[in-house]
Structure formats: structure tokens, C-alpha cells
Amino acid sequence: MANHDPFPMRSAEAQALASSVQSEDTDDQNNDGVSSWHKMGTAVSQRLPKMMRRGGDTNKEALVKGKKKTKGRKNKSAAAGEESIYDQDDLDEVQGHSDDEENGDDDNEGGDDFIDTPLRDNTRMLRPEDVADLPRPVGALVLCLQGCFFSTRRVAKRVHRSVYGDTFPWDDFIRTMVLSSTLFVMIGGYWLLRSLKDAVLTALCGVESIPKAKMLSVFVVLGVVAVYNHLLDEKSGFRKEQLFYVFGTFYGILFTGIAYLLNHPTIGLPNQTEDPARILGWVSYCGIESFGSVMVSLFWSFANSNFNLKQAKRSYGVMVATAQLGSILGPTFVNSYGHSLGIPTCYMVGAGCMLTLQLTMWTYVKMFGVVEDAPKA
């Protein structure tokens, strides 16, 4: 302990090591002749500017002047006595001068259109000046509809929170309702047509054809399901939401054609002769049966691929409730307006439901997107 050196950097070994190091700059030697190679600097570079190491000008103004000299040496092509505006800015910054004091009036004259634009009201999408170019009645109507929309949404949010609290987020609720509208239209159109299929088959082919039609519909459904499974395969290139467009268009055209032919004096209902050979009755019956089997399974397949378990627990009850509402309203429409509008018109309403479900599915896809299925190994 007696030989312990409390200052190891001043020991003989340290002096020998320091003497073996070639100093890069002779100005780095201090008054005691000790090199600064072993000292840790507090700046990015350990070497200070020469003007500060010489002990002459040590203030910030001297540093800026040194910068000017350095820039002057680098820019030899500049005219003699010409001073860069950037050097003047550095000097003004050191001296505490601000450009805002000198150019404040100039800045206010130009202005910034984006900054000067007032913020929009989050509860309004359109302002009166946005519809000023429209005719006054049209602009007033647009603003009135906008006010009704936001008022209704505000009330709906209040009711939703009182019923579900924080367990069912508002965004998830809107997503569920948009997808439920597809099921609502689908089930409503199906039950509307289902309440007519027996009556149409009886009027065209006779009541004894109903059992045979039920047996035939089994094979028709199997064939349609086979086509559905083929299109659902990855090799076909169709996504699940695209199958709504394919089958929706097919059944929409089918029921539109049936509605048109039901008005035909020979093929349709005006001909009161019951004949099992009248194909229109069989096509109507099997088309309605296949629609209910394929489209409902397609919907739940799509829902299962886009909702996880937690979302399904709080969303599927709402979907089933909307489906039940559609199953009530469909037959009610036929019972209330079937005699006044006629059976062909009711078929046209059912065909319109086939086309409407495509619109609701397209709206859902545009608003929320779809979950891509993971590729199979």
C-alpha cells in the first residue's frame, strides 16, 4: 500500500507511454508539458478550434468570426469583401438578434392560407359556404339532412351506450349493423318468396306437385352447393365477398325473369289450367329453395372469417335479431300488399332484395375491408 500511486496517470509508466505517443498537434500541449491524449472531451470532437486554444478570442463572436474565415477559405470564387447571409444569421443568433423583429410585418403581409383557415366543426361535414354554389333550396335541404343525420347519430350513440356500456364499442356496433343489413335483406327476400312458392306451384302445376317439387329441390340444392364449393376453392380465384355478387346477380336475374313470365298470358298465372308440365312452377320452387340454402351458408362463412371469437360473441346476437326481423317483414309484405300489387310484383320485390344485398355487402367491404384467408399448407 505504501507504493500505491494515487495519481496513476502521472506515474513513470504513464509518462513513458505518453512520450511514445506521437502528438498530432503541438498546440495540444498544456503549460505543464503533459499531453491531453488521455483526457476525455465533453464535445463531439476533442479538438477545440484554434482560436479558442490560443487563448485570444474565447467568446461566441470570435467563434463566428472564425467560421467566416473558414468559409472564406473554402469559397475562393466569392468576391472580395462579400459576406454570406448565413454567416450574418449565425452572428445575429449569437448576439441575440431575431429576424422576427425586423421582418414581422413582411410575414404578416403574405400569410399562410392553411394556417389562416379555421378548423372545421367535427360535428359538421358541410358548412353553408360549401353549398353556396348550389341552388338555395337544394343547399338548405343538404344542410337539413346533414343536421338530421348527426342528430340521429348522437341519439343512437346515447342509446347504444345506455344499453351496452363499454362492452360493445361503437365502431364494432356500426360494423355489425352494416353486415347485418345484408342478412336482413337476404332473409327478408327469402321469406317473401318462400310464402309465394307453394301458391305459385299450385296455381301452375297443381297441389299434387308439391311433394315431387320438394324431392326435386334436394337434388337442385346439391348441384348448386357443388358449384358453390367449387367457386369457394382457392383455385377458382373467387373471394367470399365476390360470391355474394355472383350468386346475388344470378338469383336477381332468375327471379326477375320469373316475375316477367308470371304475367305471360300462356306461361304465367293468367292461364288457369293446372298442368305438371308447366316448367315455370318447378323453376320457381327450386330456385327459392336453393337460394335459402346457399346464400345463408355463404353469409355465415363470410362472417366467421371476418369476426374473431370475442367479436362474434357480441355481434352474432344482433345479426340473428335482424334476420328474425327480416323473416317477419317479408311475409307481412306479401300479406299486406300481395292482393293489391299482385304476385309478379312481389317477385320483383324479392329480386330487388337479391340486388340490394350486393349493395350492402359492397358497402361493408368498402367501409371495413375483409380479412384475407391464410393460405393452406
Side-chain angles (χ1 to χ4, degrees):
M1 296 299 295
N3 296 328
H4 177 69
D5 185 6
F7 305 98
M9 300 307 295
R10 297 182 181 179
S11 61
E13 292 80 3
Q15 295 291 339
L17 180 60
S19 62
S20 64
V21 177
Q22 182 68 26
S23 177
E24 183 178 352
D25 192 352
T26 57
D27 293 336
D28 291 337
Q29 301 292 334
N30 55 19
N31 296 330
D32 297 335
V34 180
S35 175
S36 62
W37 64 271
H38 59 280
K39 296 181 180 179
M40 180 181 293
T42 58
V44 177
S45 176
Q46 295 186 10
R47 298 186 61 190
L48 296 175
K50 291 184 178 181
M51 67 190 71
M52 298 183 67
R53 285 182 282 147
R54 289 171 183 170
D57 297 331
T58 58
N59 53 21
K60 293 183 178 180
E61 296 185 10
L63 178 60
V64 173
K65 293 178 181 179
K67 283 176 156 184
K68 292 181 181 180
K69 294 180 180 179
T70 304
K71 291 180 180 178
R73 289 195 300 269
K74 290 181 180 179
N75 191 8
K76 295 180 180 180
S77 60
E82 185 178 3
E83 186 176 0
S84 172
I85 60 173
Y86 300 104
D87 296 338
Q88 184 63 36
D89 291 341
D90 293 339
L91 184 59
D92 292 341
E93 181 180 358
V94 171
Q95 295 177 349
H97 296 168
S98 175
D99 293 338
D100 297 337
E101 299 176 358
E102 301 176 358
N103 302 326
D105 297 336
D106 297 338
D107 295 339
N108 293 331
E109 290 179 359
D112 193 324
D113 295 337
F114 181 79
I115 296 177
D116 295 339
T117 302
L119 295 177
R120 285 180 175 267
D121 187 0
N122 292 331
T123 61
R124 292 291 182 269
M125 296 176 62
L126 296 175
R127 297 174 298 181
E129 53 267 27
D130 296 331
V131 295
D133 55 339
L134 298 176
R136 187 167 183 177
V138 177
L141 178 61
V142 170
L143 294 178
C144 180
L145 292 176
Q146 176 184 247
C148 294
F149 168 76
F150 283 103
S151 299
T152 304
R153 188 180 70 168
R154 205 161 37 243
V155 173
K157 279 188 175 182
R158 197 175 297 118
V159 174
H160 167 267
R161 186 169 185 82
S162 63
V163 173
Y164 294 101
D166 297 332
T167 59
F168 201 169
W170 173 255
D171 293 338
D172 288 349
F173 179 75
I174 294 298
R175 178 187 178 191
T176 301
M177 293 305 298
V178 173
L179 186 59
S180 298
S181 63
T182 301
L183 186 61
F184 169 79
V185 175
M186 181 190 304
I187 298 299
Y190 168 71
W191 278 96
L192 185 150
L193 296 173
R194 182 183 174 88
S195 60
L196 296 173
K197 66 175 184 176
D198 290 338
V200 171
L201 182 63
T202 301
L204 297 178
C205 303
V207 68
E208 65 276 1
S209 300
I210 293 179
K212 298 177 183 178
K214 286 185 178 294
M215 295 179 62
L216 178 63
S217 65
V218 174
F219 296 98
V220 173
V221 169
L222 290 177
V224 175
V225 169
V227 175
Y228 162 75
N229 290 330
H230 174 72
L231 295 178
L232 198 61
D233 191 8
E234 293 181 357
K235 297 180 181 179
S236 66
F238 286 95
R239 299 191 302 271
K240 290 181 180 179
E241 71 274 9
Q242 293 177 337
L243 295 182
F244 281 92
Y245 310 142
V246 173
F247 285 101
T249 302
F250 169 74
Y251 283 107
I253 295 174
L254 175 64
F255 294 130
T256 301
I258 293 174
Y260 175 77
L261 293 175
L262 285 176
N263 280 323
H264 194 274
T266 305
I267 302 175
L269 294 175
N271 184 4
Q272 298 294 325
T273 304
E274 297 179 0
D275 186 1
R278 300 176 70 175
I279 302 177
L280 184 60
W282 302 91
V283 173
S284 172
Y285 193 97
C286 294
I288 295 172
E289 286 290 330
S290 62
F291 172 79
S293 301
V294 173
M295 295 301 292
V296 174
S297 62
L298 174 61
F299 174 84
W300 288 115
S301 175
F302 177 82
N304 290 334
S305 62
N306 284 270
F307 286 79
N308 56 37
L309 180 59
K310 184 177 180 180
Q311 293 172 335
K313 287 181 178 180
R314 62 195 181 196
S315 300
Y316 281 12
V318 178
M319 295 182 187
V320 173
T322 57
Q324 293 297 325
L325 184 61
S327 65
I328 295 173
L329 294 180
T332 302
F333 178 84
V334 175
N335 186 45
S336 301
Y337 303 101
H339 293 287
S340 59
L341 297 178
I343 292 179
T345 304
C346 292
Y347 264 81
M348 283 298 299
V349 174
C353 293
M354 308 301 113
L355 302 177
T356 304
L357 69 87
Q358 301 180 57
L359 176 62
T360 56
M361 177 54 62
W362 178 84
T363 303
Y364 175 85
V365 173
K366 290 298 181 181
M367 290 179 63
F368 306 101
V370 294
V371 178
E372 298 291 341
D373 294 334
K376 297 180 180 179

